[in-house]
Amino acid sequence: MTLSLIGATGQLGGHAIDALLGRGTAPRDVLALGRNRRRLIELAERGLSVAELDLDDEVATAASLEGSDVLVLISVGGMSGGLAPRTAALRAAKAAGVGRVVYTSVLRASTTRLEIAADHRATEKAIEASGIPYTILRNGWYTENQRPEFGAARSGGAIANSIGQGRIASAPRREYGEAIAVTSTTAGHEGVVYELSGDTAWSFAEFAAASAEVLGASVRYETLTADQQHAALIATGLDEDTAWLFGRAYADMAAGELDAVSGDLARLIGHPTEPLRTTLQSWL
C-alpha cells in the first residue's frame, strides 16, 4: 500500500510518520508532502519518499499523488482560511485517483460553536461531495497547547485565563498521530467519523493542582474576565483580530465545547490516553 501525507512537515504529521513507521509501514511506501524543505530532507534521510508541496499547483500535486492508495490530509491552512487549500488538495486527489482520504477535522465539527470549526465543516462536506471514500478524524485538544500555562506555573506559581470551570478532554498530539497511522493502514474505517479526545476531561483548577504536584510547589489558578483575557493576549504580541479569535475560543472552552469524552481515541490506538499528570511530568 502506498500512503501520501499532506502536512508531513508539521508537528502532527511528524507524529503520524513516527507512528506509521513504528507500526511497520515501510518508509518507501510513505510519500511525505510539505513546505518545510529542511524537514523534507530529514524525512528523505529516514527513507521516505518526499515532495515539496504547492497546493496552488493542482496539476503538480495530482502528479505527486498518482498511485496513492490513501491520502492523509492534515488540516493545512491554520485556524481559519483553510478551506481553499484543502479543497485544492481534494481536487488533486480526485484527479490522481486516490483510493481514500483520511482528514483531520475538529471535535464535534458538525455541532460545535467553535469558530475554527467552520472551515472544517465545509471541508467535510467537500470530502463527501468529492465521491472519494473517506475517514474523518475529528481531533480534540492537544495537551501541548497548554505548555505555556505550565511554563507560567513553573516560573511564577500562577495560571490565569478566562476558561474558568470549563473542562478539556485533551490528549498528547502523539496519540492523535497514532490514530492517523491506525486508520490509514487498516481496514474497516471507510465512511466512519471518529470523535477523538482524551479519556478524562480536566479543569484548569485541576491543571494547576497537577502542575503543583509535578513541580513540588504551590500553583494557583485565576479566572480572568473576557477583557482581562484580551489584554493578556495582546501583551503576548498578538494582533487585535487574532487576540479576539483566541478570546472567543476561550469562551467556547469555558462553555464546554472541548469536554467531550467518546473513548474513540483510546479504542483506535489500543491503549488509554496519557493522563494529564504524566504529560506534565514529561515537560520537566
Side-chain angles (χ1 to χ4, degrees):
M1 184 187 76
T2 301
L3 184 149
S4 296
L5 198 157
I6 288 179
T9 58
Q11 294 183 75
L12 180 57
H15 285 298
I17 288 169
D18 288 343
L20 284 164
L21 301 185
R23 290 177 56 83
T25 301
R28 65 179 178 276
D29 291 335
V30 180
L31 171 63
L33 299 108
R35 294 179 297 176
N36 186 320
R37 293 180 180 179
R38 179 185 59 80
R39 281 288 295 139
L40 289 174
I41 291 170
E42 292 172 354
L43 293 172
E45 290 172 347
R46 296 175 67 182
L48 279 73
S49 301
V50 302
E52 196 164 347
L53 180 67
D54 178 5
L55 288 173
D56 291 330
D57 189 342
E58 292 181 27
V59 173
T61 303
S64 295
L65 297 177
E66 285 284 349
S68 296
D69 298 299
V70 176
L71 168 63
V72 175
L73 176 56
I74 290 178
S75 47
V76 292
M79 294 179 67
S80 61
L83 181 59
R86 295 168 200 166
T87 52
L90 287 172
R91 288 191 295 270
K94 182 74 171 180
V98 168
R100 179 166 60 102
V101 171
V102 177
Y103 174 65
T104 61
S105 186
V106 69
L107 190 66
R108 298 190 292 199
S110 57
T111 59
T112 184
R113 73 181 198 183
L114 282 169
E115 190 163 334
I116 61 172
D119 279 357
H120 288 293
R121 278 193 292 270
T123 304
E124 289 188 14
K125 290 179 181 178
I127 290 171
E128 293 171 4
S130 74
I132 305 172
Y134 63 85
T135 304
I136 305 294
L137 303 179
R138 289 179 171 171
N139 287 359
W141 204 242
Y142 305 141
T143 309
E144 291 91 338
N145 291 341
Q146 282 5 106
R147 196 154 187 171
E149 280 84 352
F150 184 72
R154 193 174 191 177
S155 62
I159 298 170
N161 60 40
S162 59
I163 297 174
Q165 295 304 307
R167 305 184 75 81
I168 300 173
S170 71
R173 190 179 276 108
R174 178 189 72 255
E175 294 181 333
Y176 292 98
E178 290 180 50
I180 290 173
V182 170
T183 54
S184 61
T185 60
T186 59
H189 308 290
E190 186 175 313
V192 182
V193 177
Y194 292 104
E195 302 284 356
L196 305 184
S197 61
D199 292 339
T200 303
W202 47 264
S203 69
F204 268 96
E206 292 166 342
F207 186 96
S211 298
E213 184 180 354
V214 167
L215 294 169
S218 176
V219 177
R220 68 184 185 279
Y221 173 61
E222 302 171 0
T223 303
L224 302 180
T225 66
D227 288 342
Q228 289 171 328
Q229 180 69 81
H230 182 73
L233 290 167
I234 291 293
T236 67
L238 296 180
D239 60 74
E240 285 284 338
D241 289 344
T242 306
W244 281 118
L245 179 63
F246 273 96
R248 288 192 292 272
Y250 283 7
D252 291 339
M253 292 181 209
E257 290 298 317
L258 290 173
D259 65 359
V261 177
S262 71
D264 281 357
L265 180 55
R267 282 190 288 271
L268 278 177
I269 63 180
H271 60 80
T273 62
E274 184 171 272
L276 175 63
R277 187 188 181 284
T278 303
T279 305
L280 300 184
Q281 184 71 45
S282 73
W283 293 347
L284 291 177

